[in-house]
Amino acid sequence: MDRLLLSLIGFSWSFCFAWDKSMDLRRKSGARGGDEWAVWYHQFCMPGNGVDPGSLSGKALSEHLGRSCPLPGYAGAVPMTALCRGTAAVLQGDLQAVLDALPFRIFWKNGHSAYLGCNRAFATDAGMESPRAIVGKYDHEMFWADQADRYRADDRLVMTSGRSRIDTETIRPTPDGRKIWVRITKVPLFDGEGCAIGVLGAYENITDRKKAEEESLRTEKLESLRILAGGLANDFNNLMTVILGGLSLALMDDKLPANTYRILKEAERACVGSKRLTELLMNSASGVPQFKRPESIPEILQDAVNLGLADSSLRCEMHVDQDLWQVHCNAKQTLRALTNVIVNAREAMQHGGAIKISARNVQLGEGELPPLREGRHVRVSVQDSGIGIPEDHLPKIFDPYFSTKERGSKKGIGLGLTVTYAIIKRQEGHVRVESQTGAGSVVHLYLPAC
């Protein structure tokens, strides 16, 4: 154990000095020398005896090597080797207990990047039953083997440069297949001669903080969209109204040639689509408080299914809790949000099948699902069996105009989930998406219950 590791967890520098001395003596004289130095420290350097370990020479140690150690209240003497083993066990146990109590994941490796130890939190993250199970293992033997080369390169850089890598943010896998954000620090461990002999690492899970940052960034984007829509949407809508009115009048002429009538009709449909786009912009960017009241989700959900799956051959499998709580929401806007999600699911299922929809009561604890408050919520889940969403696209799916579908007047506008997110957020709810390429997607909408 290096002096740095001991000092990091709160041991005095006197203890660290003596420990380093014991390790140095162990290397030079064998295990017995190191054991005897540990006992010498126990006798002379424990707090309260007034002895400075830095002032003691090798002569003081040599006078006690090979002797027995009298203990108060004990008839006879305890062999030094037995005492040192007991002391070492106590020290090692206390050290592991301290490490296990820390709110960080801590590990240390030798110069070949083999694990020498860790605390219980790291062992749990590694899928191990205890910290001892990781001793002697390498990263390529762990479930994160695909990251082993990168971790080993980091270790080598820290040891060869002799410099720490502090607060590096990266994604780390978990035993259950999830990905979490961590902030990791690695520092080199040195021997008594100043040579790097290993790496000490510590990291913390910052996934919740990252999600909060993404939420804040998403809110900023919606605010920018609101400012844009507020300045342009109304004027654009007025211009479209004039154009649409002129087209409607022109189409009333019975003497129009068939080809001209067809062209004007297409222009009219384009104007209607433009007005719909303007309405989407205004709905997604509106900062006006919505009128909310207790509503029954099953009724709104059934209307959304009828609208979202109109003229579709897809089946809908719906499960709603019998005692489903009412939610505090704006029925019209919630209907729009649910319809958007169902339409997205329908467009993802080009080869038919069934969309699975459920509505369940959920009691959330404090901080369980940021940014939602603690308490009662209703969760509506819409699951499709389409092609899924690539992992690198998931953080962008709520961005305005982001779409993985083809562009067109009927789909691929890229505002459906943006509008849904804005509506649900204004009602103090939350939208969460789970997806895997080739296995479909699930959109969860959380709304506060009455």
Side-chain angles (χ1 to χ4, degrees):
M1 185 71 67
D2 189 89
R3 184 192 311 180
L4 175 60
L5 176 58
L6 295 169
S7 64
L8 282 175
I9 61 175
F11 282 93
S12 68
W13 275 103
S14 294
F15 178 90
C16 300
F17 171 85
W19 189 281
D20 266 6
K21 286 287 188 181
S22 71
M23 293 301 102
D24 185 55
L25 192 62
R26 181 186 295 273
R27 285 189 291 269
K28 294 178 179 178
S29 306
R32 176 177 171 80
D35 291 342
E36 297 296 356
W37 185 280
V39 175
W40 168 80
Y41 174 79
H42 178 80
Q43 290 180 279
F44 288 96
C45 306
M46 293 300 285
N49 60 14
V51 179
D52 177 13
S55 66
L56 295 174
S57 65
K59 182 179 180 181
L61 171 64
S62 64
E63 293 177 353
H64 295 274
L65 290 177
R67 295 186 182 181
S68 296
C69 175
L71 289 178
Y74 182 80
V78 179
M80 295 287 280
T81 303
L83 177 61
C84 78
R85 287 174 182 169
T87 303
V90 171
L91 290 175
Q92 184 177 2
D94 288 346
L95 180 59
Q96 188 66 49
V98 172
L99 290 172
D100 290 345
L102 293 176
F104 304 100
R105 281 70 170 164
I106 301 173
F107 61 91
W108 52 97
K109 303 177 179 179
N110 66 15
H112 301 290
S113 291
Y115 285 95
L116 298 179
C118 67
N119 67 348
R120 186 163 296 278
F122 184 88
T124 300
D125 279 7
M128 301 287 182
E129 294 184 358
S130 71
R132 291 185 178 183
I134 203 170
V135 175
K137 292 186 177 296
Y138 293 85
D139 286 311
H140 69 263
E141 299 177 80
M142 313 298 287
F143 66 82
W144 57 76
D146 58 328
Q147 302 291 324
D149 290 342
R150 182 165 65 89
Y151 293 163
R152 186 182 181 91
D154 284 346
D155 297 342
R156 189 179 299 112
L157 178 62
V158 169
M159 286 186 286
T160 55
S161 67
R163 296 181 179 180
S164 304
R165 295 198 66 183
I166 299 175
D167 292 346
T168 302
E169 295 184 358
T170 185
I171 294 177
R172 187 179 182 90
T174 63
D176 58 2
R178 295 181 298 111
K179 299 290 182 66
I180 60 173
W181 276 96
V182 300
R183 182 170 60 193
I184 185 169
T185 292
K186 287 184 178 180
V187 298
L189 297 176
F190 300 100
D191 61 15
E193 299 177 356
C195 297
I197 57 172
V199 172
L200 168 68
Y203 71 83
E204 59 177 328
N205 188 335
I206 59 170
T207 304
D208 289 343
R209 194 203 76 189
K210 278 290 188 180
K211 288 182 178 179
E213 290 176 353
E214 291 175 2
E215 192 79 14
S216 177
L217 179 59
R218 197 172 292 130
T219 300
E220 291 177 5
K221 290 180 179 179
L222 286 175
E223 177 63 16
S224 298
L225 181 60
R226 186 189 70 78
I227 295 172
L228 173 64
L232 298 178
N234 192 44
D235 290 341
F236 183 74
N237 193 56
N238 290 337
L239 290 173
M240 286 295 101
T241 299
V242 173
I243 296 172
L244 188 59
L247 290 171
S248 298
L249 288 174
L251 287 168
M252 294 173 64
D253 188 353
D254 296 335
K255 299 179 180 180
L256 283 176
N259 190 48
T260 302
Y261 181 87
R262 180 180 59 80
I263 293 173
L264 291 176
K265 199 65 178 176
E266 289 178 358
E268 183 184 46
R269 282 195 294 269
C271 283
V272 171
S274 297
K275 286 178 68 66
R276 183 171 69 91
L277 176 59
T278 304
E279 183 181 355
L280 284 173
L281 278 169
M282 296 176 72
N283 281 327
S284 63
S286 174
V288 179
Q290 297 178 334
F291 173 74
K292 297 183 289 185
R293 67 180 185 183
E295 298 284 357
S296 172
I297 276 293
E299 297 177 7
I300 300 174
L301 193 52
Q302 188 59 60
D303 290 341
V305 170
N306 294 338
L307 290 171
L309 297 184
D311 301 323
S312 172
S313 61
L314 293 176
R315 304 188 315 277
C316 177
E317 298 177 2
M318 190 181 304
H319 177 82
V320 178
D321 284 356
Q322 292 183 354
D323 57 346
L324 194 69
W325 299 322
Q326 286 191 315
V327 298
H328 198 59
C329 70
N330 180 291
K332 182 178 179 180
Q333 292 298 310
T334 303
L335 173 61
R336 177 181 291 277
L338 289 169
T339 303
N340 286 345
V341 174
I342 293 172
V343 168
N344 264 24
R346 182 188 71 186
E347 293 176 352
M349 298 176 62
Q350 299 295 320
H351 303 292
I355 294 177
K356 298 179 181 180
I357 301 176
S358 65
R360 301 182 183 279
N361 296 327
V362 178
Q363 182 76 39
L364 295 178
E366 183 178 358
E368 182 177 346
L369 185 60
L372 292 178
R373 298 177 181 177
E374 178 184 6
R376 306 197 322 167
H377 293 77
V378 170
R379 182 185 65 204
V380 178
S381 303
V382 180
Q383 179 179 0
D384 67 63
S385 56
I387 60 174
I389 303 171
E391 185 177 354
D392 58 335
H393 286 175
L394 281 175
K396 308 174 186 177
I397 58 177
F398 297 116
D399 291 356
Y401 297 108
F402 178 82
S403 177
T404 58
K405 299 188 290 288
E406 61 183 274
R407 297 286 174 177
S409 61
K410 293 186 178 180
K411 59 182 178 178
I413 293 175
L415 283 176
L417 285 179
T418 303
V419 172
T420 295
Y421 177 84
I423 290 173
I424 300 301
K425 182 176 177 59
R426 285 201 302 271
Q427 299 183 117
E428 300 181 356
H430 183 58
V431 183
R432 185 167 62 91
V433 178
E434 299 175 0
S435 186
Q436 185 176 352
T437 304
S441 305
V442 186
V443 180
H444 303 286
L445 291 83
Y446 293 81
L447 288 166
C450 298

